[in-house]
Amino acid sequence: MPPLDDFFNHYYRRRPVNATFTGVHEYDADLPEWSAEGLESLGGEMHSLRQQFASHPADPAVVDSALADAFLEIQIAEVEGDHFQRGNPALYTGEAVFSVVSLLLRDFAPAAERVGAIESRLRGISEFLETACSTIGDKAVPASWTVRALTECDGAVKLFGDGLVTWCHEQHLDSSHTETLADAGREALAGVAAFRSWLESRADAPPRQSGCGPEFYDLLLLRGHWDTRSRQDLLAEALERFEGADARLQEMATALDPGGWPSVADRLAQRHPTMDGYLDAFQSTWDACRRRAVEWDAVTWPDFPIRYVSIPAWAKEAAPHLYFLNYRSPAPEDPPHTVDYLVPAVADERQLRSANDSVIKLNHVVHHGALGHHVQNFNAYRGASRVGRVAAVDCASRIGMFCGGSMAEGWACYATDVMGEAGFLSDLELVAEQHARLRQLARAIVDIELHQHTMTEDDARRFHRERVGMAGGAAAREVTRTAMFPGTAVMYWLGTQGIHSLRAQRQRAEGRDFSLRAFHDRFLSYGSIPVAAVAQLMNETGDF
């Protein structure tokens, strides 16, 4: 069997929740094996797979082989260290909750046919969480990770209780199926309660433990993002660009309002739909975005329908406590005809101000549902790279493979820049987009500094509050995620800057023959692989 076939068989079998989100359903009843013995076995399999790739240098899928090998190297470092399964309880709560969510979200099979897998995963949650206790043992845990795990326990209570019963009613399941799942939900909730008690007994780790350390971080840069620059050079560049972006933000904002960015932000918040027009505003903005992108000849727009719908009743109460995405990448191996974008609920004027016209346009439409993630996903799923088709699939707590990040998030951020060039953004929205660039650079700075131990989580939260203007709760959540998943916050900037740089290179090389749409179409055809790797391929400098 070719190494890539072995690799994907291993990937889905050992990561059953990822498999479900990807549309591979052979493992829908399973949870991952994260006991100490299971992690040892997992590491052994991955070492063996790396040996297979090393012994097949002539594999025709050379880029995929290199990407798969890099993924394995990173995963081995994860399972052998204490930053992930051996030290982070929030990985277990996220995996447990979303093992069930993955089966509830999409009608890939009739609800009655999914009941068995849902029940199996629910009944396995107690043991899975007990495994976390034994695998992590008496290690101290960063306080923010414990808080996140406890918050996800709150979400589990709402989901496995009333949420599950509501889902059964929405799916018109008969009483026997409903009672079966309700009973399995009660069993899962008992496991969650026991895990909560264990979490509350955890000692807080010292501040340095939030960072993965420079050695692992450098591995992520080189093997995950395929970026050969040093961490120190990247940090210096990010700091310099941050100051420039901040100065540009103040210049743009004060040109429109003497109160600067805070006043501009307030004016943007005042421009929002009515309660009655809230849901329709998403689709009408999407329609306008598509029209402008096509008129501007920005990209070949795919026939991949999306509809904006209210978040389902079964998820509404649990979602605020979870990593519950409004736009979740469609399953590439089992794609729906029409993708549902789950619009967040609003109940009052304050929430409408937060979900204002600018947020709808920049975040929910351009970045996620239109030119950004949605168009990129369509192209990735049809690309030649097998890794590129599945790497950026949204899974329980993060995307399926680290290597997909700079493309997925880089393109989505770049797409907003493109729509600004196309004249789709108002003057106020252009200032909001400049603020997003500042936030993107702040993420990169915090990511590097936190994990090389030159910044603590307290320092990082303060930096986001004082230099970017983030609210305290948002800053705390941002830093927790950055600490849990090193190398992910920097990928937004690396990807966006990498695309802009590649575009400039191709314009210089092709001169008058350069076509923006042709560039974008070709760029997207490589799928969710590192932007740096795409640049090598498009410039024909790659040696993988």
Side-chain angles (χ1 to χ4, degrees):
M1 182 179 292
L4 272 177
D5 290 343
D6 281 344
F7 169 79
F8 280 104
N9 289 338
H10 157 87
Y11 176 79
Y12 294 125
R13 177 172 48 81
R14 283 294 200 166
R15 299 162 186 82
V17 180
N18 289 25
T20 301
F21 277 119
T22 307
V24 174
H25 296 296
E26 287 89 332
Y27 310 102
D28 281 351
D30 301 337
L31 289 165
E33 174 53 87
W34 287 352
S35 66
E37 297 78 8
L39 294 176
E40 288 294 329
S41 173
L42 173 60
E45 280 190 26
M46 293 192 292
H47 278 292
S48 177
L49 283 165
R50 291 201 72 200
Q51 291 174 359
Q52 288 189 52
F53 282 117
S55 65
H56 287 76
D59 192 318
V62 62
V63 176
D64 272 356
S65 296
L67 290 167
D69 180 68
F71 169 81
L72 293 168
E73 184 175 4
I74 290 169
Q75 287 277 290
I76 289 168
E78 285 192 11
V79 301
E80 291 180 351
D82 286 339
H83 201 84
F84 292 88
Q85 290 96 333
R86 296 183 190 272
N88 189 344
L91 288 181
Y92 291 83
T93 50
E95 200 78 7
V97 171
F98 280 92
S99 72
V100 177
V101 171
S102 65
L103 297 168
L104 304 181
L105 272 176
R106 292 195 309 114
D107 296 331
F108 60 83
E113 295 180 14
R114 286 178 273 155
V115 166
I118 296 168
E119 179 190 6
S120 178
R121 282 187 171 168
L122 284 167
R123 295 198 189 280
I125 283 173
S126 289
E127 182 179 352
F128 181 68
L129 296 178
E130 287 175 8
T131 295
C133 301
S134 60
T135 300
I136 296 172
D138 60 359
K139 298 184 186 77
V141 175
S144 64
W145 301 4
T146 301
V147 168
R148 173 159 168 159
L150 287 168
T151 302
E152 290 178 335
C153 286
D154 294 338
V157 169
K158 296 179 181 300
L159 181 67
F160 298 156
D162 292 342
L164 199 58
V165 173
T166 300
W167 181 83
C168 291
H169 291 160
E170 289 177 347
Q171 299 294 323
H172 306 293
L173 290 175
D174 61 34
S175 58
S176 64
H177 282 142
T178 300
E179 181 50 38
T180 293
L181 291 187
D183 183 66
R186 288 189 288 271
E187 186 175 330
L189 287 174
V192 171
F195 192 59
R196 178 191 292 277
S197 297
W198 178 82
L199 283 170
E200 290 171 343
S201 72
R202 293 301 85 204
D204 292 344
R208 282 175 62 89
Q209 195 167 313
S210 294
C212 69
E215 182 178 352
F216 181 62
Y217 196 87
D218 290 347
L219 175 69
L220 294 173
L221 288 176
L222 182 62
R223 298 289 278 151
H225 294 317
W226 288 34
D227 199 307
T228 57
R229 292 170 291 180
S230 73
R231 172 174 29 87
Q232 294 85 350
D233 286 348
L234 286 174
L235 178 58
E237 182 179 349
L239 287 165
E240 181 179 357
R241 288 181 179 273
F242 179 86
E243 297 301 335
D246 190 27
R248 178 60 178 150
L249 173 65
Q250 304 315 317
E251 178 186 357
M252 292 174 67
T254 53
L256 295 179
D257 193 302
W261 166 244
S263 295
V264 169
D266 185 63
R267 288 170 62 180
L268 287 166
Q270 294 175 33
R271 303 182 179 193
H272 58 74
T274 63
M275 290 292 289
D276 289 341
Y278 173 66
L279 184 60
D280 290 342
F282 287 78
Q283 193 66 56
S284 62
T285 305
W286 189 94
D287 292 340
C289 178
R290 181 186 182 280
R291 282 196 304 272
R292 186 61 192 134
V294 171
E295 291 167 358
W296 206 60
D297 206 25
V299 70
T300 300
W301 198 279
D303 181 16
F304 196 22
I306 189 169
R307 60 187 175 192
Y308 288 88
V309 299
S310 297
I311 187 170
W314 62 264
K316 190 175 297 184
E317 296 300 318
H321 304 276
L322 303 170
Y323 178 60
F324 198 94
L325 302 174
N326 304 114
Y327 176 83
R328 182 169 284 277
S329 51
E333 299 298 329
D334 178 27
H337 177 265
T338 301
V339 176
D340 283 347
Y341 192 111
L342 307 183
V343 174
V346 295
D348 52 34
E349 174 78 12
R350 179 185 62 81
Q351 291 181 335
L352 278 174
R353 284 174 59 87
S354 296
N356 56 64
D357 293 343
S358 173
V359 170
I360 291 172
K361 180 186 285 189
L362 295 173
N363 183 30
H364 294 294
V365 172
V366 179
H367 183 102
H368 285 100
L371 184 60
H373 286 311
H374 195 57
V375 168
Q376 193 264 319
N377 281 330
F378 175 89
N379 284 275
Y381 297 172
R382 286 151 183 80
S385 168
R386 293 173 66 183
V387 171
R389 290 176 216 154
V390 305
V393 169
D394 297 303
C395 297
S397 301
R398 51 178 171 167
I399 60 174
M401 298 185 194
F402 187 85
C403 67
S406 64
M407 168 62 80
E409 296 300 346
W411 170 263
C413 295
Y414 168 82
T416 316
D417 293 347
V418 169
M419 294 310 298
E421 293 177 52
F424 186 60
L425 308 184
S426 70
D427 288 345
L428 289 174
E429 289 163 348
L430 287 171
V431 179
E433 177 59 11
Q434 180 62 25
H435 183 260
R437 294 188 187 102
L438 183 72
R439 191 170 67 246
Q440 182 186 101
L441 286 158
R443 281 175 158 179
I445 292 164
V446 167
D447 197 4
I448 297 172
E449 294 229 43
L450 184 65
H451 292 292
Q452 69 176 14
H453 302 312
T454 53
M455 183 181 280
T456 66
E457 285 195 56
D458 282 343
D459 296 332
R461 287 187 285 266
R462 185 164 51 252
F463 183 78
H464 280 306
R465 291 195 309 269
E466 296 178 358
R467 295 303 310 273
V468 186
M470 292 180 72
R477 290 188 294 274
E478 179 74 35
V479 172
T480 298
R481 183 161 179 79
T482 300
M484 284 177 54
F485 302 111
T488 56
V490 76
M491 69 193 182
Y492 295 78
W493 169 55
L494 290 182
T496 307
Q497 188 62 40
I499 300 170
H500 279 296
S501 296
L502 176 60
R503 173 174 157 182
Q505 292 166 11
R506 297 317 307 160
Q507 284 180 298
R508 288 193 297 270
E510 297 173 29
R512 296 177 61 181
D513 293 332
F514 178 82
S515 158
L516 187 62
R517 177 163 65 87
F519 167 74
H520 288 158
D521 288 352
R522 183 183 173 198
F523 177 80
L524 292 170
S525 73
Y526 290 97
S528 298
I529 70 174
V531 169
V534 176
Q536 292 182 43
L537 292 165
M538 290 186 70
N539 289 327
E540 298 181 350
T541 60
D543 181 9
F544 306 111

